[in-house]
Amino acid sequence: MSKDIHNITLIDGDGIGPEITKSVVEIIKACGVEINWDYQLAGARAYEKYNSVLPDDTLKSIEKNKIALKAPITTPIGIGFKSVNVQLRRHFDLYANVRPSKNLPAIKTPFNDVDLVIIRENTEDIYAGLETKVDENTIHGIKLITRQGCERIVEFAFQYALKNNRKEVGVVTKANISKLADGMFLNCFREIAQKYPNINTREILVDNLCMQLVQKPSQFDVLVMPNLYGDIVSDLCAGLIGGLGVAQSANIGQDCAIFEAVHGSAPDIAGQGIANPTGLLRSAVLMLEYINETNSAKRIEQALFEVLKNGVHLTRDLGGNATTKEFTNEIIKCL
Ligand code: NAI
């Protein structure tokens, strides 16, 4: 049987981006998945070369391939431009940000029973960039929430729960204060939940959620929320499983998706060959699942877990001495 060849845009980013990208590309190749990587730039290196942090060629490549893997990029300081990540999410209408948080083998954290998924609305809320200066001392910042935006993210969360055999979807708002905007998010949730009688539901205010997450995170399953709460809560949840360095994420739209590590370009360790590729690798695992290479996704995840469990070839951020290359080679050996 002939294998599928996938065309995927690859943004190898800045700082440690190229190092961890090389590692991930090698591991996927060793697993036997056939991918035509279309290398494109975004961020500081793109700015140096094209005077643009998000060149047209990069956008065209993603438009064509409908799928991208993106390493972290450096935000050039002192240049007035919008966040590349926010621009990409809005340009391709990647309305669902999926951030699973589950304990990893051998990474010690205060809890060992975390297994939850944050589904963050990715295009609205204060990220719509609607801020105006009324006068020197007054700013109006608009929190944009639309019914269509609420319905599609809530629907996405229930569909995600169904496909992934999850038992409960919780909705996170501040509807006691934001009665209209968060109130609409909550009402959409209540309406859509009726279509999914086999999935339990829960309603929780975001402040209470934060307190409960650091006391008993095991009580939560899938959680859906507006953009700003999702931004903050998903980093909190990354902290529950070992930090941003190991967290995975996917930005998903109707017919396009971008997978990325959640940490930054780590300029302090760039070029030293010691970066941990786990965050980008785990995001690539989500990408392989998305393109139906589920068997390879499982093999890579198991190989990664084995290396973490063995504990001998860990990178410095995880308390070891291994280089990126040694860590990568160990994963490839375990495949
Ligand atoms: P950062 O996440 O790059 O680094 C924070 C600390 O974590 C540093 O000590 C770094 O060495 C360490 N670290 C991060 N990833 C690591 C990895 N994979 N392996 C080992 N250690 C790792 O955050 P920082 O320093 O605030 O930002 C640096 C640059 O990255 C900035 O220009 C920022 O705007 C950008 N950034 C980009 C993101 C993206 O493209 N998605 C996300 C966050 C920040």
Side-chain angles (χ1 to χ4, degrees):
M1 202 173 72
S2 74
K3 277 189 174 178
D4 286 340
I5 301 182
H6 308 277
N7 294 314
I8 297 178
T9 303
L10 185 61
I11 299 171
D12 62 354
D14 300 311
I16 59 168
E19 302 163 48
I20 58 175
T21 303
K22 185 167 178 281
S23 157
V24 171
V25 167
E26 281 174 18
I27 293 167
I28 292 178
K29 188 168 177 213
C31 198
V33 185
E34 294 210 36
I35 297 180
N36 278 332
W37 295 108
D38 182 6
Y39 278 76
Q40 297 291 338
L41 289 178
R45 280 197 296 142
Y47 190 79
E48 277 163 27
K49 193 162 174 198
Y50 299 109
N51 213 26
S52 161
V53 287
L54 190 51
D56 278 350
D57 283 353
T58 304
L59 291 174
K60 277 187 199 138
S61 169
I62 303 173
E63 259 153 37
K64 183 161 69 75
N65 295 325
K66 309 274 183 222
I67 178 158
L69 180 65
K70 181 186 153 293
I73 57 178
T74 299
T75 313
I77 293 171
I79 307 166
F81 68 86
K82 289 186 204 145
S83 150
V84 171
N85 293 329
V86 173
Q87 282 186 67
L88 281 172
R89 288 166 196 165
R90 293 188 64 195
H91 186 91
F92 294 105
D93 200 19
L94 306 173
Y95 65 90
N97 183 228
V98 181
R99 293 266 300 260
S101 285
K102 187 173 177 182
N103 286 110
L104 293 163
I107 297 186
K108 289 201 178 61
T109 59
F111 305 98
N112 56 15
D113 51 4
V114 181
D115 182 8
L116 58 89
V117 182
I118 303 294
I119 310 283
R120 162 188 172 192
E121 201 292 321
N122 221 9
T123 56
E124 302 195 332
D125 205 333
I126 62 164
Y127 298 77
L130 302 174
E131 288 193 325
T132 47
K133 196 172 188 177
V134 179
D135 61 43
E136 264 325 296
N137 303 309
T138 316
I139 306 293
H140 280 179
I142 293 180
K143 170 174 167 131
L144 176 79
I145 300 282
T146 68
R147 181 173 297 281
Q148 189 223 7
C150 299
E151 284 175 353
R152 66 180 182 172
I153 193 68
V154 170
E155 189 73 54
F156 183 97
F158 278 102
Q159 283 295 326
Y160 181 95
L162 262 189
K163 280 187 208 133
N164 293 279
N165 226 357
R166 294 275 177 171
K167 306 279 172 281
E168 182 189 276
V169 179
V171 62
V172 182
T173 64
K174 190 74 188 159
N176 56 332
I177 300 297
S178 170
K179 293 190 190 297
L180 292 180
D182 283 16
M184 186 159 73
F185 198 95
L186 180 58
N187 283 334
C188 287
F189 178 87
R190 287 175 177 165
E191 280 161 28
I192 289 169
Q194 289 175 21
K195 292 200 298 182
Y196 298 91
N198 296 326
I199 297 177
N200 297 330
T201 59
R202 171 200 291 251
E203 297 176 6
I204 187 162
L205 298 176
V206 65
D207 39 357
N208 183 17
L209 172 75
C210 290
M211 195 268 292
Q212 306 260 359
L213 276 171
V214 297
Q215 286 197 325
K216 197 172 177 248
S218 62
Q219 63 183 300
F220 298 108
D221 195 340
V222 175
L223 292 165
V224 62
M225 61 197 82
N227 207 342
L228 179 61
Y229 310 142
D231 192 357
I232 298 165
V233 171
S234 59
D235 273 18
L236 188 161
C237 292
L240 293 175
I241 59 151
L244 294 183
V246 297
Q248 53 188 165
S249 95
N251 298 287
I252 298 182
Q254 201 59 41
D255 63 350
C256 182
I258 299 181
F259 300 81
E260 60 181 337
V262 300
H263 59 75
S265 58
D268 53 336
I269 57 163
Q272 298 178 30
I274 56 169
N276 181 358
T278 299
L280 189 63
L281 183 63
R282 297 189 69 226
S283 305
V285 164
L286 294 178
M287 180 191 80
L288 293 174
E289 286 166 359
Y290 180 84
I291 59 174
N292 291 324
E293 295 281 1
T294 32
N295 193 29
S296 299
K298 265 199 202 96
R299 282 177 60 211
I300 291 176
E301 193 167 63
Q302 275 161 8
L304 168 70
F305 287 178
E306 216 170 304
V307 174
L308 294 177
K309 238 186 274 166
N310 291 343
V312 182
H313 295 93
L314 300 182
T315 46
R316 274 192 218 176
D317 57 309
L318 299 180
N321 283 313
T323 60
T324 312
K325 195 161 179 33
E326 287 162 347
F327 184 71
T328 306
N329 289 345
E330 274 312 297
I331 295 174
I332 290 174
K333 268 192 224 161
C334 290
L335 277 173

